[in-house]
Amino acid sequence: MTRMTPLLARNEQFARTYTPAALSVPAEQLLVVTCLDHRVDPAIVLGLQLGDAPVIRNAGGRVTQAVIDDIAFFGFLAKQLFGGQEAADTLFEVAVIHHTQCATGFLADPGFRRQAAEATGLADAALAAAAVADPHATVQADVERLLTSPVLTPKVSVSGHVYDIATGRLTTTVDARYPERRGG
Ligand SMILES: [Zn+2]
Protein backbone atom coordinates (compact mmCIF):
# COMPACT_ATOMS: atom_id res chain seq x y z
CA MET A 1 0.00 0.00 0.00
CA THR A 2 1.30 3.43 -0.90
CA ARG A 3 -0.38 6.79 -1.28
CA MET A 4 -0.04 6.09 -5.00
CA THR A 5 -2.52 3.18 -4.81
CA PRO A 6 -5.67 5.19 -5.67
CA LEU A 7 -3.72 7.07 -8.33
CA LEU A 8 -2.55 3.80 -9.87
CA ALA A 9 -6.23 2.87 -10.22
CA ARG A 10 -6.85 6.20 -11.95
CA ASN A 11 -3.91 5.48 -14.24
CA GLU A 12 -5.42 2.11 -15.12
CA GLN A 13 -8.58 3.93 -16.23
CA PHE A 14 -6.46 6.39 -18.22
CA ALA A 15 -4.43 3.68 -19.96
CA ARG A 16 -7.58 1.91 -21.19
CA THR A 17 -8.40 4.63 -23.70
CA TYR A 18 -4.89 5.96 -24.18
CA THR A 19 -3.40 6.84 -27.58
CA PRO A 20 0.34 7.64 -27.50
CA ALA A 21 1.50 10.97 -28.94
CA ALA A 22 4.26 10.72 -31.56
CA LEU A 23 7.70 12.20 -30.86
CA SER A 24 7.55 15.49 -32.76
CA VAL A 25 7.54 19.24 -32.26
CA PRO A 26 5.29 20.16 -29.31
CA ALA A 27 1.89 20.83 -30.90
CA GLU A 28 1.68 24.32 -29.36
CA GLN A 29 5.37 25.09 -30.16
CA LEU A 30 5.62 26.21 -26.57
CA LEU A 31 7.70 25.37 -23.50
CA VAL A 32 6.25 26.40 -20.12
CA VAL A 33 8.30 27.35 -17.04
CA THR A 34 6.19 27.63 -13.90
CA CYS A 35 5.93 27.01 -10.16
CA LEU A 36 5.63 23.54 -8.67
CA ASP A 37 2.64 24.78 -6.62
CA HIS A 38 -0.16 22.20 -6.86
CA ARG A 39 -2.68 25.01 -7.45
CA VAL A 40 -0.89 26.00 -10.66
CA ASP A 41 -1.03 22.99 -12.97
CA PRO A 42 -0.44 24.23 -16.52
CA ALA A 43 -2.17 21.21 -18.04
CA ILE A 44 -5.39 22.26 -16.32
CA VAL A 45 -4.95 26.05 -16.29
CA LEU A 46 -3.91 26.22 -19.98
CA GLY A 47 -5.82 23.17 -21.19
CA LEU A 48 -2.68 21.39 -22.40
CA GLN A 49 -3.05 17.91 -23.87
CA LEU A 50 -0.37 15.22 -24.17
CA GLY A 51 2.15 16.28 -26.82
CA ASP A 52 1.20 19.98 -26.57
CA ALA A 53 4.10 21.47 -24.61
CA PRO A 54 6.98 20.46 -22.33
CA VAL A 55 6.79 21.96 -18.83
CA ILE A 56 9.64 22.79 -16.43
CA ARG A 57 8.58 23.36 -12.83
CA ASN A 58 10.49 24.48 -9.75
CA ALA A 59 9.85 26.60 -6.64
CA GLY A 60 8.49 29.89 -7.96
CA GLY A 61 8.90 28.98 -11.64
CA ARG A 62 12.25 30.82 -11.54
CA VAL A 63 14.67 30.91 -14.47
CA THR A 64 17.64 29.31 -12.70
CA GLN A 65 20.84 28.07 -14.34
CA ALA A 66 19.36 24.54 -14.28
CA VAL A 67 16.27 25.79 -16.17
CA ILE A 68 18.44 27.63 -18.70
CA ASP A 69 20.47 24.44 -19.23
CA ASP A 70 17.30 22.39 -19.84
CA ILE A 71 15.95 24.97 -22.30
CA ALA A 72 19.30 25.08 -24.12
CA PHE A 73 19.27 21.30 -24.43
CA PHE A 74 15.64 21.24 -25.57
CA GLY A 75 16.44 23.93 -28.16
CA PHE A 76 19.34 21.84 -29.45
CA LEU A 77 17.17 18.73 -29.56
CA ALA A 78 14.37 20.55 -31.38
CA LYS A 79 16.82 21.85 -33.98
CA GLN A 80 18.44 18.44 -34.49
CA LEU A 81 15.22 16.47 -34.72
CA PHE A 82 12.81 18.90 -36.30
CA GLY A 83 14.84 21.85 -37.57
CA GLY A 84 14.31 20.93 -41.21
CA GLN A 85 10.57 20.42 -40.88
CA GLU A 86 9.64 24.09 -40.84
CA ALA A 87 10.29 26.93 -43.24
CA ALA A 88 10.22 29.61 -40.57
CA ASP A 89 13.33 30.26 -38.51
CA THR A 90 11.52 29.92 -35.19
CA LEU A 91 11.59 26.85 -32.96
CA PHE A 92 9.32 27.54 -30.00
CA GLU A 93 8.28 30.13 -27.41
CA VAL A 94 9.19 29.85 -23.74
CA ALA A 95 6.31 31.08 -21.54
CA VAL A 96 7.48 31.94 -18.01
CA ILE A 97 4.52 31.92 -15.61
CA HIS A 98 4.72 33.23 -12.04
CA HIS A 99 1.70 33.40 -9.74
CA THR A 100 0.10 35.29 -6.86
CA GLN A 101 0.18 33.84 -3.33
CA CYS A 102 3.44 32.04 -4.14
CA ALA A 103 4.87 30.37 -1.04
CA THR A 104 8.38 31.48 -2.09
CA GLY A 105 7.13 34.99 -1.21
CA PHE A 106 7.77 34.13 2.47
CA LEU A 107 11.47 34.19 1.58
CA ALA A 108 11.26 37.99 1.24
CA ASP A 109 11.02 38.07 5.06
CA PRO A 110 14.56 38.05 6.58
CA GLY A 111 13.51 36.09 9.69
CA PHE A 112 11.78 33.36 7.67
CA ARG A 113 14.72 33.29 5.27
CA ARG A 114 17.26 32.83 8.08
CA GLN A 115 15.27 29.86 9.40
CA ALA A 116 14.99 28.40 5.89
CA ALA A 117 18.74 28.82 5.33
CA GLU A 118 19.54 27.02 8.60
CA ALA A 119 17.08 24.19 7.89
CA THR A 120 18.10 23.56 4.27
CA GLY A 121 21.77 24.58 4.21
CA LEU A 122 21.02 26.88 1.25
CA ALA A 123 22.68 30.31 1.13
CA ASP A 124 20.63 33.26 2.39
CA ALA A 125 21.33 35.19 -0.82
CA ALA A 126 20.16 32.27 -2.98
CA LEU A 127 16.92 32.05 -1.02
CA ALA A 128 16.40 35.82 -1.26
CA ALA A 129 16.87 35.65 -5.03
CA ALA A 130 14.33 32.79 -5.27
CA ALA A 131 11.48 34.75 -3.64
CA VAL A 132 8.41 35.63 -5.74
CA ALA A 133 6.88 38.47 -3.69
CA ASP A 134 5.73 40.51 -6.73
CA PRO A 135 5.11 38.03 -9.58
CA HIS A 136 4.90 40.81 -12.19
CA ALA A 137 8.39 42.03 -11.23
CA THR A 138 10.02 38.59 -10.95
CA VAL A 139 8.53 37.31 -14.21
CA GLN A 140 9.92 40.37 -16.00
CA ALA A 141 13.36 39.82 -14.45
CA ASP A 142 13.33 36.13 -15.40
CA VAL A 143 12.30 36.82 -19.02
CA GLU A 144 15.27 39.24 -19.21
CA ARG A 145 17.59 36.66 -17.67
CA LEU A 146 16.60 34.08 -20.26
CA LEU A 147 16.75 36.50 -23.19
CA THR A 148 20.28 37.61 -22.27
CA SER A 149 21.59 34.09 -21.69
CA PRO A 150 24.31 33.28 -24.26
CA VAL A 151 23.16 29.65 -24.52
CA LEU A 152 19.60 30.47 -25.64
CA THR A 153 19.24 29.85 -29.36
CA PRO A 154 18.07 33.02 -31.19
CA LYS A 155 15.25 30.95 -32.73
CA VAL A 156 13.50 30.82 -29.35
CA SER A 157 11.24 33.64 -28.11
CA VAL A 158 10.35 34.32 -24.48
CA SER A 159 7.17 35.71 -22.90
CA GLY A 160 6.13 36.40 -19.28
CA HIS A 161 2.75 35.90 -17.57
CA VAL A 162 1.16 36.02 -14.13
CA TYR A 163 -1.45 33.55 -12.95
CA ASP A 164 -3.91 34.84 -10.35
CA ILE A 165 -4.79 32.10 -7.84
CA ALA A 166 -7.92 34.04 -6.76
CA THR A 167 -9.48 34.34 -10.23
CA GLY A 168 -7.87 31.54 -12.26
CA ARG A 169 -6.91 34.16 -14.84
CA LEU A 170 -3.57 34.42 -16.64
CA THR A 171 -2.38 37.88 -17.75
CA THR A 172 0.58 38.66 -19.99
CA THR A 173 3.24 40.87 -18.42
CA VAL A 174 5.88 40.60 -21.17
CA ASP A 175 4.95 39.96 -24.82
CA ALA A 176 7.00 37.33 -26.65
CA ARG A 177 10.43 38.66 -27.61
CA TYR A 178 13.52 37.21 -29.29
CA PRO A 179 17.06 37.67 -27.95
CA GLU A 180 18.65 40.97 -29.10
CA ARG A 181 21.41 39.18 -31.03
CA ARG A 182 18.79 37.59 -33.33
CA GLY A 183 19.74 38.00 -36.97
CA GLY A 184 23.31 38.91 -35.98
ZN1 LIG B 1 4.57 29.29 -6.30
Side-chain angles (χ1 to χ4, degrees):
M1 201 57 180
T2 122
R3 289 196 187 275
M4 278 294 289
T5 303
L7 280 69
L8 291 169
R10 288 188 211 171
N11 172 256
E12 183 50 40
Q13 286 299 320
F14 164 79
R16 277 181 198 165
T17 54
Y18 171 69
T19 314
L23 176 62
S24 72
V25 183
E28 298 298 337
Q29 287 190 275
L30 191 75
L31 184 152
V32 176
V33 177
T34 196
C35 186
L36 49 74
D37 193 306
H38 43 299
R39 300 168 299 170
V40 187
D41 188 330
I44 293 172
V45 168
L46 304 176
L48 296 175
Q49 304 295 318
L50 293 177
D52 274 356
V55 176
I56 300 173
R57 299 180 75 174
N58 63 20
R62 303 309 307 268
V63 173
T64 60
Q65 189 57 50
V67 168
I68 292 172
D69 292 348
D70 278 349
I71 293 171
F73 174 68
F74 185 74
F76 166 77
L77 197 64
K79 226 179 332 187
Q80 293 301 309
L81 292 175
F82 319 117
Q85 290 181 13
E86 63 218 303
D89 60 343
T90 57
L91 283 173
F92 54 90
E93 175 179 332
V94 177
V96 183
I97 302 175
H98 290 181
H99 70 98
T100 61
Q101 300 176 27
C102 189
T104 64
F106 292 129
L107 292 169
D109 174 63
F112 182 89
R113 198 164 65 237
R114 196 172 336 104
Q115 287 181 323
E118 281 165 14
T120 62
L122 295 166
D124 187 273
L127 290 169
V132 177
D134 176 355
H136 291 278
T138 51
V139 87
Q140 200 157 354
D142 280 8
V143 166
E144 284 306 321
R145 177 166 188 196
L146 195 47
L147 282 170
T148 54
S149 167
V151 299
L152 185 74
T153 154
K155 292 185 172 191
V156 170
S157 60
V158 186
S159 61
H161 317 263
V162 172
Y163 176 70
D164 189 332
I165 294 274
T167 64
R169 204 155 268 127
L170 194 74
T171 52
T172 298
T173 299
V174 189
D175 275 323
R177 282 199 350 246
Y178 287 94
E180 296 289 336
R181 64 207 143 75
R182 182 173 159 84

